Amino acid sequence: MKAEANGITLHYRDEGSGPALLLLHAFPLSGAMWRPQIEGLSGEARLIVPDLRGFGETEAPSDPYTLDDMATDMVALLNRLNVDQVILCGLSMGGYLSFAFLRQAKDRVRGVILADTKAGDDTEEARSNRIAMAEKAEREGSGPIAEVMPEKLLGRTTREERPELVDDVKAMIRANSGAGIAGAQRAMAQRPDSTPLLPEIDVPALVIVGKEDELTRPAEAEKMLTALPQARCEVIPQAGHLANMEQPEAFNALVREFLKELKE
Ligand code: MLT
């Protein structure tokens, strides 16, 4: 489905019924990465699954934008759908976006799932790597990035045992435009440190991390856990950074349990 939201045409899926769960995808993927959750959880929740600004079938505006703009897109989408409150579920970049959303519209959040993400901002080195990737994406498109990223995104077990998932992730990245990849890298490079926000997130939180995640290691999850007032943390074995795709049953079981806790 498509909706006009915050000045762009946004593509999203809206599946299932129950409490609204807004699924925010990782970089440089799209809402398609949440397929296992649409398949496994739509009996228990209303899954709102956007392609974020710059990704999938959503527009990639050429003007620079920030994660705050992307959060405004999400608020506008929820307004279009007449959804008042949501449970946020953000993985990696989707987690950074969850923090931006909470800064803008905390009263619309009933609970938050932070998967394979971190609260801190970038080091200078990480920032310049992002700018270098943005420039490469603008010059060469998504193809070369699709060749190298799955190695980092997927855990060792998945890379060794599930070549079809490696190919899926490659295809998802390749389907994005160089402009979208560049826009998101520049947005992430500018994101603020969200550590001071953590103690103010006074809704239930579930922190999930893949044990083999090399990009946001379990230690990052532990750091968030200590600062969040109402959180618990779950580590998924044999999963890397894309824990929801690599171990969908374990991931879905944790989300299901969290939904149940929110109901009680
Ligand atoms: C992601 O998976 O969204 C990225 O690893 C986020 C990042 O580049 O920091």
Side-chain angles (χ1 to χ4, degrees):
M1 279 178 271
K2 296 220 168 178
E4 295 302 310
N6 193 25
I8 61 166
T9 306
L10 214 135
H11 175 260
Y12 66 99
R13 290 181 69 175
D14 185 354
E15 310 265 350
S17 58
L21 188 60
L22 180 62
L23 297 173
L24 303 173
H25 66 77
F27 169 89
L29 302 170
S30 68
M33 73 165 240
W34 295 113
R35 201 176 320 136
Q37 283 61 53
I38 294 177
E39 281 165 12
L41 294 170
S42 55
E44 283 130 297
R46 175 178 179 184
L47 304 172
I48 302 169
V49 190
D51 287 339
L52 301 174
R53 185 182 275 248
F55 296 99
E57 293 174 51
T58 290
E59 259 181 75
S62 51
D63 288 342
Y65 45 90
T66 61
L67 281 161
D68 285 335
D69 294 319
M70 292 162 83
T72 308
D73 297 345
M74 293 302 103
V75 173
L77 176 64
L78 297 184
N79 291 345
R80 291 297 298 248
L81 298 177
N82 286 320
V83 172
D84 183 25
Q85 281 212 311
V86 288
I87 299 148
L88 291 176
C89 175
L91 192 142
S92 197
M93 177 179 75
Y96 311 158
L97 178 55
S98 300
F99 296 131
F101 187 102
L102 281 156
R103 269 190 284 273
Q104 258 178 57
K106 185 162 160 260
D107 54 328
R108 297 183 74 160
V109 181
R110 290 180 52 198
V112 57
I113 302 170
L114 296 165
D116 300 280
T117 194
K118 59 176 183 254
D121 56 355
D122 283 345
T123 58
E124 273 314 312
E125 187 191 352
R127 260 185 216 116
S128 55
N129 289 341
R130 289 195 194 280
I131 302 308
M133 192 198 278
E135 288 168 357
K136 187 178 170 71
E138 279 163 341
R139 270 193 324 267
E140 300 172 33
S142 57
I145 292 161
E147 289 310 307
V148 295
M149 284 288 289
E151 176 79 15
K152 298 179 184 147
L153 292 168
L154 296 165
R156 184 177 31 83
T157 306
T158 305
R159 293 197 312 269
E160 284 172 9
E161 295 177 8
R162 297 182 57 199
E164 76 292 351
L165 192 51
V166 179
D167 288 343
D168 263 11
V169 170
K170 258 188 209 171
M172 247 179 244
I173 299 174
R174 218 180 289 117
N176 288 320
S177 66
I181 290 177
Q185 279 293 35
R186 294 202 164 98
M188 287 192 286
Q190 286 181 52
R191 76 187 192 285
D193 180 6
S194 292
T195 312
L197 176 74
L198 296 176
E200 293 166 28
I201 303 178
D202 52 3
V203 290
L206 171 64
V207 178
I208 300 178
V209 64
K211 190 156 191 246
E212 299 174 7
D213 187 344
E214 298 280 332
L215 290 178
T216 45
R217 293 169 193 268
E220 294 287 351
E222 286 296 327
K223 254 198 256 171
M224 289 195 291
L225 184 68
T226 53
L228 285 161
Q230 290 187 58
R232 62 190 172 81
C233 177
E234 300 286 349
V235 180
I236 301 186
Q238 302 197 319
H241 192 58
L242 300 180
N244 74 302
M245 296 180 81
E246 295 178 61
Q247 293 297 337
E249 277 162 28
F251 191 96
N252 288 353
L254 292 174
V255 174
R256 212 171 276 129
E257 202 181 318
F258 185 64
L259 293 175
K260 212 167 114 211
E261 285 163 16
L262 285 176
K263 238 199 268 171
E264 282 161 3

